[in-house]
Amino acid sequence: QVQLQESGPGLVKPSQTLSLSCTVSGASISSGVYYWIWVRQPPGKGLEWIGYMYYSGYTSYNPSLKSRLSISLDTSKNQFSLNLNSVTAADTAVYYCARGSGRTVDHWGQGTLVTASS
Amino acid sequence: QTVVTQEPSLTVSPGGTVTLTCASSTGEVTSGNYPNWFQQKPGQAPRALIYTTSNRHSWTPARFSGSLLGGKAALTLSGVQPEDEADYYCLLYFGGGRVFGGGTKLTVL
């Protein structure tokens, strides 16, 4: 059974870096079959695709976030991470990690709320 | 940036049928956009329903079906149940990028 769990600070100060991790169980992030995704949802609003990464190192980022964004994998911990720098209040959202398989996103974490505020 | 548009809200009676659509600002939605559909209930993570236009996941009830309709992706719910009240999001693939629609709030009343 595949499970994903987000972790990280719930509060980040404006201009600082938002850092989250996603721990995967029931699947290996080293598998070339899957890719590892971040999605966010501002309070009361819709879903926004952030980006994803394959084990091969290929990444794809939302153009609107690309200049501030980095996604990486840690195979020793079976985790992947999100770093978003220079945050503003507009980055306040529930952040979800998820697994991509072929042409779908089949498993999601429960989400974690990150608030950008001083 | 590509914009993906869904109906903001729809209402359906229990037992009825409703179709949600997903349009692209770049033009016609095709199978090459690999349309996906997700259901999200309040306080929960999204749950995958449909992938590559019309394929159900193993956990997706048969009353959910996906198609292409009039240049858009479509999700049809037949025999709607009260528990189908939720937000529904489409996801379209554009080469290496992905874009979610704005979501449709479905009310069962």
Side-chain angles (χ1 to χ4, degrees), chain B residues 10-49:
Chain B
L10 292 170
T11 300
V12 61
S13 300
T17 297
V18 65
T19 296
L20 290 64
T21 66
C22 174
S24 169
S25 63
T26 63
E28 182 181 359
V29 175
T30 71
S31 57
N33 296 119
Y34 308 105
N36 279 241
W37 291 92
F38 301 88
Q39 178 192 64
Q40 186 181 35
K41 296 183 178 179
Q44 296 184 16
R47 181 177 74 132
L49 291 175

mmCIF file of all heavy atoms in Angstrom, chain B residues 10-49:
data_model
loop_
_atom_site.group_PDB
_atom_site.id
_atom_site.type_symbol
_atom_site.label_atom_id
_atom_site.label_comp_id
_atom_site.label_asym_id
_atom_site.label_seq_id
_atom_site.Cartn_x
_atom_site.Cartn_y
_atom_site.Cartn_z
ATOM 1 N N LEU B 10 -22.198 23.349 -10.276
ATOM 2 C CA LEU B 10 -23.310 22.631 -10.872
ATOM 3 C C LEU B 10 -24.137 22.010 -9.770
ATOM 4 O O LEU B 10 -23.601 21.675 -8.699
ATOM 5 C CB LEU B 10 -22.817 21.542 -11.838
ATOM 6 C CG LEU B 10 -22.138 22.000 -13.132
ATOM 7 C CD1 LEU B 10 -21.489 20.804 -13.837
ATOM 8 C CD2 LEU B 10 -23.126 22.682 -14.055
ATOM 9 N N THR B 11 -25.418 21.842 -10.032
ATOM 10 C CA THR B 11 -26.316 21.184 -9.086
ATOM 11 C C THR B 11 -27.018 20.035 -9.786
ATOM 12 O O THR B 11 -27.436 20.163 -10.951
ATOM 13 C CB THR B 11 -27.354 22.172 -8.529
ATOM 14 O OG1 THR B 11 -26.668 23.238 -7.856
ATOM 15 C CG2 THR B 11 -28.288 21.487 -7.547
ATOM 16 N N VAL B 12 -27.167 18.929 -9.074
ATOM 17 C CA VAL B 12 -27.825 17.747 -9.640
ATOM 18 C C VAL B 12 -28.685 17.103 -8.558
ATOM 19 O O VAL B 12 -28.365 17.190 -7.360
ATOM 20 C CB VAL B 12 -26.767 16.754 -10.184
ATOM 21 C CG1 VAL B 12 -25.845 16.275 -9.079
ATOM 22 C CG2 VAL B 12 -27.422 15.579 -10.909
ATOM 23 N N SER B 13 -29.762 16.480 -8.962
ATOM 24 C CA SER B 13 -30.625 15.761 -8.015
ATOM 25 C C SER B 13 -30.097 14.358 -7.793
ATOM 26 O O SER B 13 -29.500 13.761 -8.708
ATOM 27 C CB SER B 13 -32.044 15.691 -8.549
ATOM 28 O OG SER B 13 -32.579 16.983 -8.738
ATOM 29 N N PRO B 14 -30.318 13.798 -6.628
ATOM 30 C CA PRO B 14 -29.918 12.399 -6.386
ATOM 31 C C PRO B 14 -30.535 11.477 -7.431
ATOM 32 O O PRO B 14 -31.725 11.610 -7.771
ATOM 33 C CB PRO B 14 -30.465 12.116 -4.984
ATOM 34 C CG PRO B 14 -30.547 13.446 -4.330
ATOM 35 C CD PRO B 14 -30.906 14.411 -5.426
ATOM 36 N N GLY B 15 -29.723 10.571 -7.957
ATOM 37 C CA GLY B 15 -30.173 9.665 -9.001
ATOM 38 C C GLY B 15 -30.070 10.232 -10.401
ATOM 39 O O GLY B 15 -30.257 9.497 -11.384
ATOM 40 N N GLY B 16 -29.782 11.493 -10.516
ATOM 41 C CA GLY B 16 -29.695 12.134 -11.815
ATOM 42 C C GLY B 16 -28.338 11.953 -12.475
ATOM 43 O O GLY B 16 -27.465 11.242 -11.972
ATOM 44 N N THR B 17 -28.196 12.606 -13.618
ATOM 45 C CA THR B 17 -26.960 12.564 -14.395
ATOM 46 C C THR B 17 -26.462 13.984 -14.622
ATOM 47 O O THR B 17 -27.264 14.898 -14.876
ATOM 48 C CB THR B 17 -27.212 11.876 -15.758
ATOM 49 O OG1 THR B 17 -27.601 10.518 -15.527
ATOM 50 C CG2 THR B 17 -25.960 11.899 -16.627
ATOM 51 N N VAL B 18 -25.157 14.157 -14.529
ATOM 52 C CA VAL B 18 -24.566 15.479 -14.727
ATOM 53 C C VAL B 18 -23.235 15.321 -15.451
ATOM 54 O O VAL B 18 -22.535 14.324 -15.265
ATOM 55 C CB VAL B 18 -24.377 16.212 -13.382
ATOM 56 C CG1 VAL B 18 -23.366 15.492 -12.499
ATOM 57 C CG2 VAL B 18 -23.961 17.668 -13.598
ATOM 58 N N THR B 19 -22.924 16.298 -16.311
ATOM 59 C CA THR B 19 -21.657 16.286 -17.041
ATOM 60 C C THR B 19 -20.868 17.540 -16.719
ATOM 61 O O THR B 19 -21.389 18.661 -16.846
ATOM 62 C CB THR B 19 -21.893 16.183 -18.555
ATOM 63 O OG1 THR B 19 -22.524 14.928 -18.850
ATOM 64 C CG2 THR B 19 -20.565 16.250 -19.309
ATOM 65 N N LEU B 20 -19.631 17.350 -16.303
ATOM 66 C CA LEU B 20 -18.707 18.436 -16.029
ATOM 67 C C LEU B 20 -17.729 18.515 -17.206
ATOM 68 O O LEU B 20 -17.337 17.474 -17.756
ATOM 69 C CB LEU B 20 -17.909 18.162 -14.746
ATOM 70 C CG LEU B 20 -18.623 18.211 -13.398
ATOM 71 C CD1 LEU B 20 -19.695 17.124 -13.272
ATOM 72 C CD2 LEU B 20 -17.611 18.078 -12.271
ATOM 73 N N THR B 21 -17.330 19.724 -17.581
ATOM 74 C CA THR B 21 -16.424 19.840 -18.716
ATOM 75 C C THR B 21 -15.148 20.587 -18.346
ATOM 76 O O THR B 21 -15.075 21.276 -17.313
ATOM 77 C CB THR B 21 -17.084 20.528 -19.918
ATOM 78 O OG1 THR B 21 -17.357 21.884 -19.583
ATOM 79 C CG2 THR B 21 -18.354 19.817 -20.328
ATOM 80 N N CYS B 22 -14.158 20.455 -19.232
ATOM 81 C CA CYS B 22 -12.813 20.971 -18.993
ATOM 82 C C CYS B 22 -12.275 21.471 -20.325
ATOM 83 O O CYS B 22 -12.070 20.667 -21.247
ATOM 84 C CB CYS B 22 -11.978 19.815 -18.436
ATOM 85 S SG CYS B 22 -10.221 20.119 -18.200
ATOM 86 N N ALA B 23 -12.070 22.781 -20.430
ATOM 87 C CA ALA B 23 -11.654 23.389 -21.682
ATOM 88 C C ALA B 23 -10.260 24.013 -21.558
ATOM 89 O O ALA B 23 -9.857 24.411 -20.460
ATOM 90 C CB ALA B 23 -12.650 24.475 -22.101
ATOM 91 N N SER B 24 -9.569 24.105 -22.683
ATOM 92 C CA SER B 24 -8.218 24.659 -22.703
ATOM 93 C C SER B 24 -8.177 25.965 -23.486
ATOM 94 O O SER B 24 -8.792 26.070 -24.553
ATOM 95 C CB SER B 24 -7.256 23.667 -23.330
ATOM 96 O OG SER B 24 -5.999 24.276 -23.585
ATOM 97 N N SER B 25 -7.433 26.922 -22.976
ATOM 98 C CA SER B 25 -7.270 28.201 -23.676
ATOM 99 C C SER B 25 -6.450 28.050 -24.955
ATOM 100 O O SER B 25 -6.445 28.944 -25.807
ATOM 101 C CB SER B 25 -6.615 29.232 -22.760
ATOM 102 O OG SER B 25 -5.304 28.823 -22.394
ATOM 103 N N THR B 26 -5.764 26.922 -25.122
ATOM 104 C CA THR B 26 -4.943 26.710 -26.313
ATOM 105 C C THR B 26 -5.761 26.139 -27.467
ATOM 106 O O THR B 26 -5.265 26.063 -28.591
ATOM 107 C CB THR B 26 -3.788 25.745 -26.022
ATOM 108 O OG1 THR B 26 -4.311 24.460 -25.665
ATOM 109 C CG2 THR B 26 -2.909 26.267 -24.897
ATOM 110 N N GLY B 27 -7.007 25.733 -27.181
ATOM 111 C CA GLY B 27 -7.847 25.165 -28.230
ATOM 112 C C GLY B 27 -8.485 23.859 -27.796
ATOM 113 O O GLY B 27 -8.715 23.641 -26.614
ATOM 114 N N GLU B 28 -8.735 23.008 -28.776
ATOM 115 C CA GLU B 28 -9.432 21.756 -28.511
ATOM 116 C C GLU B 28 -8.621 20.863 -27.570
ATOM 117 O O GLU B 28 -7.403 20.713 -27.716
ATOM 118 C CB GLU B 28 -9.655 21.026 -29.832
ATOM 119 C CG GLU B 28 -10.404 19.717 -29.726
ATOM 120 C CD GLU B 28 -10.580 19.029 -31.083
ATOM 121 O OE1 GLU B 28 -10.139 19.587 -32.104
ATOM 122 O OE2 GLU B 28 -11.168 17.924 -31.111
ATOM 123 N N VAL B 29 -9.322 20.266 -26.605
ATOM 124 C CA VAL B 29 -8.714 19.248 -25.756
ATOM 125 C C VAL B 29 -8.765 17.922 -26.508
ATOM 126 O O VAL B 29 -9.821 17.535 -27.046
ATOM 127 C CB VAL B 29 -9.452 19.124 -24.415
ATOM 128 C CG1 VAL B 29 -8.863 17.969 -23.587
ATOM 129 C CG2 VAL B 29 -9.363 20.426 -23.623
ATOM 130 N N THR B 30 -7.635 17.236 -26.568
ATOM 131 C CA THR B 30 -7.561 15.960 -27.269
ATOM 132 C C THR B 30 -7.047 14.871 -26.333
ATOM 133 O O THR B 30 -6.645 15.150 -25.201
ATOM 134 C CB THR B 30 -6.620 16.050 -28.475
ATOM 135 O OG1 THR B 30 -5.276 16.162 -28.001
ATOM 136 C CG2 THR B 30 -6.946 17.261 -29.347
ATOM 137 N N SER B 31 -7.025 13.649 -26.848
ATOM 138 C CA SER B 31 -6.497 12.548 -26.044
ATOM 139 C C SER B 31 -5.019 12.777 -25.715
ATOM 140 O O SER B 31 -4.516 12.239 -24.724
ATOM 141 C CB SER B 31 -6.682 11.221 -26.778
ATOM 142 O OG SER B 31 -6.054 11.254 -28.055
ATOM 143 N N GLY B 32 -4.344 13.578 -26.516
ATOM 144 C CA GLY B 32 -2.941 13.898 -26.270
ATOM 145 C C GLY B 32 -2.717 14.806 -25.070
ATOM 146 O O GLY B 32 -1.581 14.999 -24.648
ATOM 147 N N ASN B 33 -3.798 15.369 -24.533
ATOM 148 C CA ASN B 33 -3.717 16.115 -23.277
ATOM 149 C C ASN B 33 -3.927 15.206 -22.064
ATOM 150 O O ASN B 33 -3.888 15.686 -20.939
ATOM 151 C CB ASN B 33 -4.755 17.237 -23.236
ATOM 152 C CG ASN B 33 -4.519 18.300 -24.290
ATOM 153 O OD1 ASN B 33 -5.360 18.531 -25.155
ATOM 154 N ND2 ASN B 33 -3.369 18.960 -24.233
ATOM 155 N N TYR B 34 -4.169 13.906 -22.343
ATOM 156 C CA TYR B 34 -4.320 12.884 -21.292
ATOM 157 C C TYR B 34 -5.189 13.375 -20.121
ATOM 158 O O TYR B 34 -4.759 13.370 -18.962
ATOM 159 C CB TYR B 34 -2.947 12.454 -20.767
ATOM 160 C CG TYR B 34 -2.010 12.042 -21.867
ATOM 161 C CD1 TYR B 34 -0.965 12.856 -22.283
ATOM 162 C CD2 TYR B 34 -2.177 10.815 -22.523
ATOM 163 C CE1 TYR B 34 -0.115 12.466 -23.309
ATOM 164 C CE2 TYR B 34 -1.334 10.425 -23.550
ATOM 165 C CZ TYR B 34 -0.305 11.260 -23.938
ATOM 166 O OH TYR B 34 0.540 10.884 -24.949
ATOM 167 N N PRO B 35 -6.419 13.786 -20.371
ATOM 168 C CA PRO B 35 -7.245 14.344 -19.293
ATOM 169 C C PRO B 35 -7.385 13.404 -18.089
ATOM 170 O O PRO B 35 -7.650 12.211 -18.241
ATOM 171 C CB PRO B 35 -8.603 14.566 -19.964
ATOM 172 C CG PRO B 35 -8.303 14.678 -21.423
ATOM 173 C CD PRO B 35 -7.152 13.747 -21.657
ATOM 174 N N ASN B 36 -7.194 13.994 -16.915
ATOM 175 C CA ASN B 36 -7.390 13.307 -15.645
ATOM 176 C C ASN B 36 -8.464 14.064 -14.869
ATOM 177 O O ASN B 36 -8.593 15.280 -15.001
ATOM 178 C CB ASN B 36 -6.097 13.314 -14.813
ATOM 179 C CG ASN B 36 -5.098 12.246 -15.206
ATOM 180 O OD1 ASN B 36 -4.745 11.372 -14.403
ATOM 181 N ND2 ASN B 36 -4.610 12.307 -16.430
ATOM 182 N N TRP B 37 -9.174 13.328 -14.048
ATOM 183 C CA TRP B 37 -10.196 13.920 -13.177
ATOM 184 C C TRP B 37 -9.968 13.484 -11.738
ATOM 185 O O TRP B 37 -9.642 12.316 -11.472
ATOM 186 C CB TRP B 37 -11.594 13.496 -13.621
ATOM 187 C CG TRP B 37 -12.009 14.097 -14.927
ATOM 188 C CD1 TRP B 37 -11.849 13.556 -16.176
ATOM 189 C CD2 TRP B 37 -12.662 15.352 -15.121
ATOM 190 N NE1 TRP B 37 -12.352 14.404 -17.131
ATOM 191 C CE2 TRP B 37 -12.864 15.507 -16.509
ATOM 192 C CE3 TRP B 37 -13.117 16.358 -14.270
ATOM 193 C CZ2 TRP B 37 -13.492 16.630 -17.049
ATOM 194 C CZ3 TRP B 37 -13.732 17.479 -14.800
ATOM 195 C CH2 TRP B 37 -13.919 17.601 -16.186
ATOM 196 N N PHE B 38 -10.166 14.446 -10.807
ATOM 197 C CA PHE B 38 -9.976 14.206 -9.385
ATOM 198 C C PHE B 38 -11.195 14.708 -8.618
ATOM 199 O O PHE B 38 -11.815 15.704 -9.007
ATOM 200 C CB PHE B 38 -8.723 14.935 -8.877
ATOM 201 C CG PHE B 38 -7.467 14.518 -9.580
ATOM 202 C CD1 PHE B 38 -7.078 15.144 -10.745
ATOM 203 C CD2 PHE B 38 -6.687 13.487 -9.093
ATOM 204 C CE1 PHE B 38 -5.939 14.767 -11.424
ATOM 205 C CE2 PHE B 38 -5.542 13.088 -9.757
ATOM 206 C CZ PHE B 38 -5.171 13.725 -10.928
ATOM 207 N N GLN B 39 -11.484 14.021 -7.527
ATOM 208 C CA GLN B 39 -12.558 14.423 -6.619
ATOM 209 C C GLN B 39 -11.927 14.879 -5.314
ATOM 210 O O GLN B 39 -11.005 14.224 -4.811
ATOM 211 C CB GLN B 39 -13.475 13.231 -6.357
ATOM 212 C CG GLN B 39 -14.604 13.498 -5.386
ATOM 213 C CD GLN B 39 -15.281 12.192 -4.966
ATOM 214 O OE1 GLN B 39 -14.686 11.336 -4.335
ATOM 215 N NE2 GLN B 39 -16.546 12.042 -5.349
ATOM 216 N N GLN B 40 -12.420 15.977 -4.756
ATOM 217 C CA GLN B 40 -11.922 16.439 -3.465
ATOM 218 C C GLN B 40 -13.087 16.825 -2.568
ATOM 219 O O GLN B 40 -13.889 17.688 -2.930
ATOM 220 C CB GLN B 40 -10.971 17.633 -3.625
ATOM 221 C CG GLN B 40 -10.312 18.045 -2.317
ATOM 222 C CD GLN B 40 -9.395 19.239 -2.462
ATOM 223 O OE1 GLN B 40 -9.641 20.150 -3.239
ATOM 224 N NE2 GLN B 40 -8.298 19.241 -1.696
ATOM 225 N N LYS B 41 -13.144 16.193 -1.419
ATOM 226 C CA LYS B 41 -14.151 16.529 -0.408
ATOM 227 C C LYS B 41 -13.528 17.441 0.639
ATOM 228 O O LYS B 41 -12.294 17.448 0.798
ATOM 229 C CB LYS B 41 -14.716 15.249 0.199
ATOM 230 C CG LYS B 41 -15.470 14.410 -0.834
ATOM 231 C CD LYS B 41 -16.099 13.185 -0.231
ATOM 232 C CE LYS B 41 -16.873 12.429 -1.317
ATOM 233 N NZ LYS B 41 -17.510 11.191 -0.797
ATOM 234 N N PRO B 42 -14.344 18.209 1.347
ATOM 235 C CA PRO B 42 -13.804 19.194 2.304
ATOM 236 C C PRO B 42 -12.849 18.558 3.304
ATOM 237 O O PRO B 42 -13.146 17.520 3.903
ATOM 238 C CB PRO B 42 -15.068 19.721 2.994
ATOM 239 C CG PRO B 42 -16.135 19.562 1.971
ATOM 240 C CD PRO B 42 -15.809 18.287 1.246
ATOM 241 N N GLY B 43 -11.680 19.200 3.456
ATOM 242 C CA GLY B 43 -10.697 18.740 4.425
ATOM 243 C C GLY B 43 -9.919 17.519 4.019
ATOM 244 O O GLY B 43 -9.130 16.991 4.812
ATOM 245 N N GLN B 44 -10.130 17.053 2.787
ATOM 246 C CA GLN B 44 -9.440 15.850 2.320
ATOM 247 C C GLN B 44 -8.518 16.165 1.148
ATOM 248 O O GLN B 44 -8.674 17.172 0.459
ATOM 249 C CB GLN B 44 -10.446 14.785 1.891
ATOM 250 C CG GLN B 44 -11.320 14.279 3.016
ATOM 251 C CD GLN B 44 -12.241 13.157 2.563
ATOM 252 O OE1 GLN B 44 -12.049 12.543 1.507
ATOM 253 N NE2 GLN B 44 -13.250 12.860 3.366
ATOM 254 N N ALA B 45 -7.579 15.261 0.924
ATOM 255 C CA ALA B 45 -6.735 15.344 -0.262
ATOM 256 C C ALA B 45 -7.544 14.951 -1.493
ATOM 257 O O ALA B 45 -8.549 14.233 -1.388
ATOM 258 C CB ALA B 45 -5.527 14.425 -0.124
ATOM 259 N N PRO B 46 -7.135 15.414 -2.659
ATOM 260 C CA PRO B 46 -7.800 14.954 -3.889
ATOM 261 C C PRO B 46 -7.654 13.449 -4.046
ATOM 262 O O PRO B 46 -6.700 12.848 -3.555
ATOM 263 C CB PRO B 46 -7.034 15.701 -4.991
ATOM 264 C CG PRO B 46 -6.434 16.885 -4.320
ATOM 265 C CD PRO B 46 -6.094 16.421 -2.931
ATOM 266 N N ARG B 47 -8.620 12.877 -4.752
ATOM 267 C CA ARG B 47 -8.581 11.447 -5.050
ATOM 268 C C ARG B 47 -8.728 11.283 -6.557
ATOM 269 O O ARG B 47 -9.631 11.869 -7.163
ATOM 270 C CB ARG B 47 -9.714 10.733 -4.316
ATOM 271 C CG ARG B 47 -9.762 9.228 -4.533
ATOM 272 C CD ARG B 47 -10.866 8.590 -3.723
ATOM 273 N NE ARG B 47 -12.189 8.847 -4.252
ATOM 274 C CZ ARG B 47 -13.126 7.923 -4.439
ATOM 275 N NH1 ARG B 47 -12.855 6.658 -4.162
ATOM 276 N NH2 ARG B 47 -14.325 8.264 -4.887
ATOM 277 N N ALA B 48 -7.866 10.489 -7.142
ATOM 278 C CA ALA B 48 -7.913 10.277 -8.584
ATOM 279 C C ALA B 48 -9.148 9.462 -8.963
ATOM 280 O O ALA B 48 -9.463 8.460 -8.310
ATOM 281 C CB ALA B 48 -6.652 9.554 -9.057
ATOM 282 N N LEU B 49 -9.826 9.884 -10.030
ATOM 283 C CA LEU B 49 -11.001 9.171 -10.520
ATOM 284 C C LEU B 49 -10.774 8.574 -11.907
ATOM 285 O O LEU B 49 -11.052 7.400 -12.146
ATOM 286 C CB LEU B 49 -12.199 10.126 -10.616
ATOM 287 C CG LEU B 49 -12.816 10.670 -9.349
ATOM 288 C CD1 LEU B 49 -13.898 11.682 -9.701
ATOM 289 C CD2 LEU B 49 -13.385 9.550 -8.491
#
